[in-house]
Amino acid sequence: MKKVSSPYFDPEFDSLTERIFGPACRVSIDNESLRDCTVIKVDSVNKQGLLLEVVQVLTDMNLNISKSYISSDAGWFMDVFHVKDAHGNKVTDQRTINYIQQAIGTTTREAQKRKSITSKMYEPEPHSEPKAIEMTGPDRPGLFSEISAALAELHCNVVEAHAWSHNARLACVAYISDQSTDVPIDDRRLATIEDHLTTVLRATTAQNPAGEFSKQQEVKTAGLPEGDGSMMTKVERRLHQLMLSVRDFDRPVVKLGQLNGTTAGDQELGMMRRGSSSSSSTVGIESCKEKGYSIVTVQCKDRPRLMFDTVCTLTDMQYVVFHASIDSHRGYAFQEYFIRHVDGCALNTDGEKERVIKCLEAAIERRVCEVISLTFLLS
């Protein structure tokens, strides 16, 4: 009987593509070309969501993007970012530069290997992490206080919490542990907590017999997006998704009688609506029939994390950015995106265009508030 042997594969075959065409990703950081900002150039094989991943890395580092040029046709991603640190200076710290290069993708396989080893060394044990729960529903004055009181009553310790409120909707991601032992909460007890918090959120429906938000209350274990990036940007992306799920892009309908101030909640709702309508952001959509793109333009006041918010929204709505130009000057931002849906189609219907416009406007407004932000440090 003849001996059957398995086929032979040259161990160098896996690196053949890289040796022929070069590395799959090149990241260069230039502090010489421009006087007042650092230039980051990224050349990479393209994939869906890559732009968001790169922007997320820069957002993690608290870098402000003043300009950007993006092109990702023909399966290759080429991007240029002009960035400054939180103080408006160039990025000159070598450790920060090395981290950016490794996080986006380095030119050597050995650096990728080091990154993988480092991430495993510092990855926390699953059983040591606090449980994360997410809540969505209609907002009302005092709701967050009621949620905190309910968790305290259930002997939960709030390790960390992030909440957004926009157009009378609330989205919250909270990390909780046992109050007495400070250990993660088991699944059976977590189900009881979810039921109790759902009851708290549903109290708003009783105050709104019309039932505008009757199907928007939900409490469940948090489903944070996977992939690289800090926990902060993961939570922020999840908050964008949660606000989108409760349709915060639809402004609440306020009856004429309610504007007279029948209740404190109605008064606040009316003020929120008037404040939102005075937003200075402008979003428009045009068609580029020659190339089969839809051109989305955004003009608004510039602020940190603005590009992350708009790119995050387009990505989560299943649109692909093929080309883009970002510019900010004197506190005002202009963004232009050439997009198609993941199925390859442009935005053809007025309804689809209107939805994209409303969702981008909501993404811009979610972080813009006219209230005081308070930070409490508890020992």
Side-chain angles (χ1 to χ4, degrees), residues 221-267:
T221 303
L224 298 179
E226 296 181 358
D228 294 333
S230 75
M231 184 56 66
M232 184 60 187
T233 49
K234 285 184 180 181
V235 171
E236 289 182 347
R237 183 177 181 187
R238 187 58 183 160
L239 287 169
H240 275 301
Q241 294 171 343
L242 293 174
M243 295 300 278
L244 188 65
S245 71
V246 294
R247 300 178 61 89
D248 76 313
F249 51 84
D250 288 332
R251 302 196 187 279
V253 178
V254 183
K255 295 181 179 179
L256 184 61
Q258 291 178 313
L259 294 178
N260 295 327
T262 55
T263 66
D266 291 334
Q267 288 179 359

Side-chain angles (χ1 to χ4, degrees), residues 184-196:
I185 297 171
D186 60 70
D187 293 339
R188 180 180 300 179
R189 187 178 164 200
L190 191 62
T192 302
I193 295 170
E194 291 175 0
D195 290 341
H196 195 91

Side-chain angles (χ1 to χ4, degrees), residues 284-315:
I285 298 180
E286 298 179 357
S287 296
C288 181
K289 296 181 179 180
E290 295 81 4
K291 299 293 184 179
Y293 297 123
S294 291
I295 307 173
V296 178
T297 57
V298 178
Q299 299 182 61
C300 63
K301 291 182 179 179
D302 193 24
R303 59 168 174 79
R305 309 175 96 86
L306 176 62
M307 187 176 180
F308 172 80
D309 293 339
T310 52
V311 172
C312 179
T313 299
L314 290 172
T315 302

Side-chain angles (χ1 to χ4, degrees), residues 30-39 82-84 88-92:
D30 176 15
N31 271 318
E32 303 298 328
S33 299
L34 298 177
R35 178 178 55 85
D36 58 345
C37 63
T38 298
V39 179
H82 295 184
V83 302
K84 301 177 183 179
N89 302 319
K90 289 184 177 183
V91 182
T92 56

Side-chain angles (χ1 to χ4, degrees), residues 130-136 147 151 154 156 158 160-162 171-177 185 189-191 193-195 197-198 218-224 235 238-239 242:
K131 292 289 185 178
I133 56 175
E134 59 189 29
M135 293 160 272
T136 56
I147 292 172
L151 290 172
L154 293 166
C156 298
V158 180
E160 185 177 345
H162 304 269
C172 177
V173 177
Y175 296 84
I176 60 175
S177 61
I185 297 171
R189 187 178 164 200
L190 191 62
I193 295 170
E194 291 175 0
D195 290 341
L197 290 175
T198 300
E218 188 173 26
V219 181
K220 62 180 181 180
T221 303
L224 298 179
V235 171
R238 187 58 183 160
L239 287 169
L242 293 174

